[in-house]
Amino acid sequence: LKLKSIQCMDVAEQALAALDMLSKKHAKNILQSGGLSACLCFIDFFSLNAQRSALNITANCCHVVTVNDTHLFMESVPVLISKLNTQDKKLLESCCLTFSRLVEQ
């Protein structure tokens, strides 16, 4: 994914918005192509809306995680843990939803 080599923040944020919509139906493809780490690697530099999109994508992807997919999301766990301290309720909700979906699997 091109999100890992950001040249222009606006383009990255637009890509996140599009990926957020796609993640509702294509979460497994995003997960398998390294989408979680791509979405979360620069999350602290994104606008609040882009951060929300990144965490929505993560929550959607973790809805389809299986035991065999743990290697695809484990590197994202420290970023998710750090977001548990956020003051934004929507970010916190998405983060908690992500962990909830991981536990369900």
Side-chain angles (χ1 to χ4, degrees):
L1 288 172
K2 293 282 185 180
L3 284 173
K4 288 189 175 181
S5 60
I6 293 178
Q7 304 268 333
C8 179
M9 193 60 72
D10 290 340
V11 174
E13 291 187 3
Q14 289 174 4
L16 280 172
L19 205 54
D20 190 5
M21 288 186 271
L22 289 169
S23 70
K24 294 171 186 160
K25 292 189 177 185
H26 304 285
K28 192 69 165 184
N29 293 6
I30 294 168
L31 180 68
Q32 291 174 335
S33 66
L36 289 189
S37 62
C39 289
L40 297 176
C41 66
F42 295 112
I43 193 167
D44 291 330
F45 300 102
F46 292 141
S47 68
L48 184 57
N49 283 337
Q51 289 183 37
R52 289 175 178 166
S53 290
L55 288 180
N56 282 337
I57 294 163
T58 304
N60 289 340
C61 288
C62 287
H63 192 58
V64 298
V65 165
T66 65
V67 175
N68 297 329
D69 297 326
T70 55
H71 65 285
L72 298 173
F73 69 84
M74 286 305 293
E75 70 181 29
S76 301
V77 171
V79 175
L80 294 169
I81 290 171
S82 74
K83 289 298 170 188
L84 289 172
N85 293 321
T86 187
Q87 298 298 311
D88 184 77
K89 290 180 181 181
K90 289 184 180 182
L91 282 178
L92 184 58
E93 181 181 353
S94 291
C95 195
C96 290
L97 181 60
T98 298
F99 282 117
S100 172
R101 287 179 173 173
L102 288 173
V103 171
E104 288 173 356
Q105 305 303 327

